[in-house]
Amino acid sequence: MDPIFLKVVVGTTLLASSSAVVGTFSYLKGQSLVGDAIAHALLPGVVLAFMLGDGKNPAYLILGALVSGLIAHYGIAFIQNRTKLKSDTAVSLVLSTFFGFGIMLMSVVQQRGQGQQAGLERYLLGKAAAITMLDVYTFSALALVLLLGVALFYKGFQLMTFNEDFAHAIGLPVGLIRVTFTVLTVLAVTIGIQTVGVVLMAALLITPAAAARAWTKSLPQMIVLAAVFSAISAVLGTLISSAITKMPTGPWIVIILGLIGFTSLFIAPEKGWLFKRKRALENRSKINRENIMKLMYRQEEKRGKGNKLTSPQILSIRAMRDEALRVGLKDLKKRLWIIEHIDGFTLTDLGRMEGRRVVRLHRLWELYLTERLGMAPDHIHPQAETMEHVITPEIEALLIKELGMPQRDPHKSLIPYENE
Amino acid sequence: MDKSIEVHNLTVSYHSKPVLWDVDFTLPKGKIIGIVGPNGSGKTTMLKTIMGLLDADSGYTEIFGQPLDKVRERVSYVPQRESVDWDFPADVMDVVLMGRYRKNNLFKRITKEDRRIATEALEKVNLLEFAHRQISQLSGGQQQRVFIARSLAQQADIYLMDEPFVGVDAATEDAILKLLRDMKNEGKTVVIVHHDLQTANEYFDWIVLLNTRLVAAGPKEEVFTKELLQEAYGGRLTVLSKLGDIIGSTEFPLREPEFKEDKPEE
């Protein structure tokens, strides 16, 4: 494999995954914007370090970035504690001021005509392709520091994120934990912006965590998954940008990360859009099904067991969309709850049980509303229409127990139980 | 009387506005003690100040006759249930194990002994079967019991709980009460912030009645009188709250933190 390519892959992977690990805690703390602010705030430190020292040595620039990032971080905290400004205001204030100052310093450097401009510009938009061997070593060392730091402080970070007051109360060194977290964040941002630049840095911190959160409910798993997502993005991003000439690496990494993020939010179990959509559809067809069964059961109550109903007859009793009825009947036939004859549908024993159950829940709930909540009998029907689909067997048992196995609902209709 | 907590001339303020004003009381050991008062009467502030989470403007508190830092491992704190984000990625066991975190094991792994203690704590609050349930999937009562289990896992001598009965079902309420009485029988001291007068008389042996200032503190028979309750719950103290507003708006300094009752002022 091409050694230059390999160098870039290793560099970007290290950067991206270590930022993701630290970013997981920022994300959980609800401080997604702080990383963005720190990234912007690093600029003046980097440029100053460049002006004062040797532009090619990454150690100088990193030191400058670290100092500038820490000042920004404490600046935000200071504004939050000492003024009545909201935290997003404090964050934007520091972000824009520091970034503006950094840009101003950059133009000073430009006017002086200092040759190694390239070294500085990569902080603005990132320039992964320009990674040198020295950079790779530096990043590896820093990534190692980050991972070790998080591993060492795992308990502290976990408790500080979940319940800082408790950490304080049991006498943990909260100050030390906080400072360590800040330094690690600034470090992650410092090395991260070399690949993707100041502007896209927030994506590297927060997107992997957000994507990972969609898949897991365990913190260690979330951290590992965030790192894996980042590593995948780094490798793919580098591949794409090297396959197509003149394509920047950083933006590609961020785009792939974004794709992973959106896909996760879309298809993840329980929290994903797809899952919610599926559940909504299932609920709708359950409601539809139960409404038809209730209707058929009530017709049997009126006209006797084995009463036949055609589709138009059903529609004349209860307004529903033709399509919904058609799908519903098909579903019910499959469940063997109804039988289709030439001249209409009848209930099977199974179907009758289901219809009876829904009617029972409806009437029990109506009785509960009048007896326990003191509602007037002419106001309770719409509520019961909804609740009959929601009440679980446990709640049904509770209702029956609390109402003392009642025989009639507020409208004097019989409440149908099994075995009658 | 064997003392558990002493509060000396404590004044605490939020954004320069006093929430607790010159509060002074001593609590006994081995009792279930309620800090009772209406909303905004400074109960939570009191607890947080005792736990060192808030700084006092003046006055000081001691536990077992010593400053908090000397006895921290004997003190357990249960914050309000709503004070944390229950969507945090953790299961019940993870949270209870936090009760085993100490300054001196911060960098160490969780031991088998820690797990054993946490398991026992979970058993005491009847949540063993939920040990690996996500905390986001718990009911309010279960969340409260998780917090109490975490506190039990600390194996402390005194427990400070902030509104443990808020938003819990009847079963949890009974379970918590039984637990508190067991703890008392083991000689532990339990201090509970509580806003509901109806139940306070039934729950506690000893009551601190608070409304920005101290209304009364003592055995519940002495404190739970109509006059004192009227004083605590019967509307705000106009002069005091007006004075507080003025101090808040002018950022007027309260007495210096060094102030102690037994030291004469310069």
Side-chain angles (χ1 to χ4, degrees):
Chain A
M1 208 183 274
D2 179 5
I4 296 174
F5 172 74
L6 201 65
K7 199 168 64 188
V8 178
V9 167
V10 171
T12 53
T13 308
L14 281 172
L15 293 181
S17 0
S18 46
S19 311
V21 169
V22 177
T24 301
F25 290 99
S26 315
Y27 168 83
L28 288 172
K29 269 196 110 176
Q31 292 189 335
S32 300
L33 278 177
V34 173
D36 198 25
I38 291 178
H40 282 79
L42 295 189
L43 198 62
V46 170
V47 183
L48 274 177
F50 177 86
M51 289 167 85
L52 299 175
D54 171 9
K56 284 210 171 136
N57 189 344
Y60 267 106
L61 299 182
I62 286 168
L63 197 69
L66 197 59
V67 170
S68 169
L70 284 175
I71 293 174
H73 183 273
Y74 286 106
I76 293 172
F78 181 82
I79 294 173
Q80 279 171 359
N81 294 339
R82 296 300 166 89
T83 68
K84 286 188 171 163
L85 291 182
K86 296 254 162 60
S87 73
D88 60 339
T89 316
V91 169
S92 342
L93 200 68
V94 169
L95 180 152
S96 45
T97 312
F98 273 67
F99 192 59
F101 184 50
I103 296 285
M104 190 206 79
L105 286 177
M106 263 180 110
S107 51
V108 171
V109 173
Q110 221 153 16
Q111 276 161 16
R112 280 209 212 151
Q114 277 170 307
Q116 307 112 316
Q117 259 286 311
L120 267 187
E121 257 164 10
R122 81 181 210 198
Y123 281 88
L124 215 48
L125 285 167
K127 203 167 185 188
I131 288 177
T132 65
M133 224 37 222
L134 182 62
D135 288 333
V136 172
Y137 292 138
T138 317
F139 299 165
S140 310
L142 285 177
L144 202 67
V145 168
L146 281 176
L147 294 179
L148 281 179
V150 171
L152 197 64
F153 275 85
Y154 175 80
K155 279 158 91 179
F157 289 171
Q158 177 210 34
L159 191 48
M160 184 192 69
T161 314
F162 175 60
N163 193 351
E164 189 169 325
D165 269 358
F166 188 75
H168 234 295
I170 60 176
L172 293 189
V174 173
L176 173 72
I177 296 171
R178 240 193 250 149
V179 169
T180 310
F181 183 68
T182 304
V183 170
L184 291 185
T185 309
V186 174
L187 268 183
V189 173
T190 309
I191 58 177
I193 59 174
Q194 326 239 355
T195 349
V196 296
V198 164
V199 187
L200 297 179
M201 187 55 214
L204 228 49
L205 278 173
I206 301 307
T207 319
R213 184 71 184 94
W215 294 100
T216 176
K217 293 167 179 167
S218 131
L219 183 55
Q221 274 178 26
M222 187 177 162
I223 294 172
V224 172
L225 208 56
V228 169
F229 284 156
S230 283
I232 293 173
S233 311
V235 173
L236 285 182
T238 315
L239 269 175
I240 294 174
S241 68
S242 66
I244 313 168
T245 40
K246 289 199 176 166
M247 270 292 179
T249 312
W252 268 112
I253 296 178
V254 172
I255 287 173
I256 292 169
L257 210 47
L259 282 178
I260 294 178
F262 281 116
T263 315
S264 300
L265 294 180
F266 190 72
I267 63 170
E270 282 184 58
K271 293 199 164 183
W273 181 86
L274 211 60
F275 183 88
K276 285 191 176 149
R277 178 86 194 136
K278 186 168 159 255
R279 194 160 52 193
L281 282 178
E282 277 170 6
N283 283 342
R284 206 188 293 166
S285 73
K286 177 175 188 274
I287 290 172
N288 193 23
R289 207 161 58 219
E290 290 180 351
N291 280 339
I292 300 173
M293 295 319 285
K294 181 179 65 174
L295 183 149
M296 291 183 69
Y297 181 82
R298 293 190 54 184
Q299 289 304 307
E300 277 202 345
E301 275 186 332
K302 284 184 193 158
R303 301 175 212 286
K305 211 166 162 181
N307 177 54
K308 279 181 191 158
L309 281 175
T310 61
S311 297
Q313 278 172 330
I314 293 177
L315 286 172
S316 72
I317 301 168
R318 185 184 180 99
M320 53 197 302
R321 286 185 306 115
D322 290 1
E323 177 64 12
L325 179 63
R326 202 183 56 76
V327 174
L329 288 172
K330 205 173 136 194
D331 181 11
L332 292 168
K333 269 194 287 183
K334 228 167 74 185
R335 287 170 183 265
L336 304 179
W337 287 358
I338 57 172
I339 297 174
E340 183 169 15
H341 309 273
I342 309 166
D343 52 348
F345 298 92
T346 55
L347 283 174
T348 64
D349 278 349
L350 269 179
R352 196 167 293 117
M353 232 165 95
E354 173 68 8
R356 190 182 294 131
R357 186 184 69 85
V358 181
V359 169
R360 181 169 64 244
L361 292 184
H362 184 103
R363 292 180 182 163
L364 278 171
W365 187 250
E366 286 195 334
L367 193 64
Y368 184 79
L369 286 181
T370 49
E371 290 225 329
R372 298 295 145 130
L373 302 183
M375 289 175 71
D378 54 338
H379 278 77
I380 53 184
H381 182 74
Q383 255 242 38
E385 279 292 294
T386 320
M387 296 311 289
E388 66 195 19
H389 306 297
V390 180
I391 294 171
T392 59
E394 295 84 57
I395 296 178
E396 183 190 344
L398 271 178
L399 270 177
I400 293 175
K401 197 176 149 205
E402 195 171 328
L403 296 169
M405 191 100 176
Q407 292 307 308
R408 288 186 185 271
D409 77 358
H411 308 295
K412 303 288 171 234
S413 304
L414 262 179
I415 298 177
Y417 296 98
E418 291 303 323
N419 309 321
E420 271 181 30
Chain B
M1 179 173 81
D2 249 357
K3 294 180 216 165
S4 57
I5 293 179
E6 289 167 75
V7 172
H8 292 279
N9 294 88
L10 195 69
T11 300
V12 188
S13 50
Y14 262 139
H15 296 295
S16 320
K17 193 173 163 178
V19 202
L20 287 175
W21 202 306
D22 221 5
V23 174
D24 194 291
F25 59 79
T26 304
L27 301 178
K29 264 189 203 167
K31 297 258 188 273
I32 304 178
I33 300 155
I35 299 185
V36 181
N39 282 334
S41 57
K43 305 182 295 284
T44 295
T45 304
M46 182 84 249
L47 212 59
K48 285 191 168 176
T49 312
I50 295 173
M51 286 313 302
L53 302 174
L54 292 173
D55 291 329
D57 293 302
S58 71
Y60 64 100
T61 63
E62 279 182 348
I63 301 180
F64 300 129
Q66 301 198 53
L68 174 68
D69 268 327
K70 294 244 165 98
V71 289
R72 237 183 236 279
E73 304 211 338
R74 296 175 64 194
V75 186
S76 172
Y77 169 61
V78 181
Q80 275 181 28
R81 183 165 57 85
E82 288 85 3
S83 67
V84 305
D85 175 11
W86 289 90
D87 209 22
F88 190 80
D91 66 18
V92 168
M93 190 49 124
D94 291 335
V95 175
V96 178
L97 279 169
M98 289 173 188
R100 300 302 304 157
Y101 293 9
R102 297 276 184 279
K103 198 174 181 177
N104 57 24
N105 70 12
L106 179 62
F107 302 120
K108 294 187 186 134
R109 294 180 69 96
I110 286 158
T111 64
K112 274 191 183 153
E113 175 73 355
D114 290 336
R115 285 193 186 278
R116 187 186 63 75
I117 293 168
T119 309
E120 276 175 13
L122 270 177
E123 205 169 12
K124 280 189 186 154
V125 299
N126 285 328
L127 277 183
L128 208 49
E129 56 185 312
F130 294 96
H132 297 294
R133 177 79 61 98
Q134 280 304 306
I135 55 169
S136 57
Q137 292 166 351
L138 301 175
S139 72
Q142 288 165 339
Q143 289 174 350
Q144 190 62 59
R145 280 186 279 159
V146 170
F147 261 9
I148 292 178
R150 176 175 76 175
S151 150
L152 292 177
Q154 286 184 260
Q155 300 187 316
D157 293 320
I158 183 165
Y159 294 79
L160 289 87
M161 307 187 179
D162 200 346
E163 296 277 12
F165 294 105
V166 162
V168 306
D169 49 291
T172 299
E173 188 178 311
D174 289 344
I176 295 178
L177 267 180
K178 187 179 170 300
L179 200 64
L180 297 183
R181 288 183 183 137
D182 289 347
M183 287 158 78
K184 177 182 143 186
N185 291 338
E186 287 170 30
K188 314 270 190 195
T189 308
V190 188
V191 180
I192 287 176
V193 161
H194 192 71
H195 73 276
D196 182 23
L197 264 186
Q198 305 289 334
T199 44
N201 196 26
E202 171 196 347
Y203 292 170
F204 308 123
D205 310 320
W206 191 281
I207 284 174
V208 175
L209 210 50
L210 211 59
N211 192 351
T212 305
R213 69 199 171 85
L214 181 73
V215 177
K220 71 174 168 196
E221 299 77 25
E222 289 171 24
V223 172
F224 239 67
T225 64
K226 204 176 164 194
E227 292 72 31
L228 288 173
L229 290 179
Q230 175 67 29
E231 210 179 316
Y233 279 80
R236 303 210 152 234
L237 296 153
T238 355
V239 176
L240 208 54
S241 77
K242 274 198 177 146
L243 209 52
D245 285 341
I246 291 170
I247 290 172
S249 61
T250 56
E251 302 191 4
F252 196 84
L254 288 160
R255 276 167 297 187
E256 48 269 65
E258 293 77 25
F259 170 82
K260 282 195 178 186
E261 189 188 22
D262 48 353
K263 282 185 190 163
E265 281 172 88
E266 290 164 48

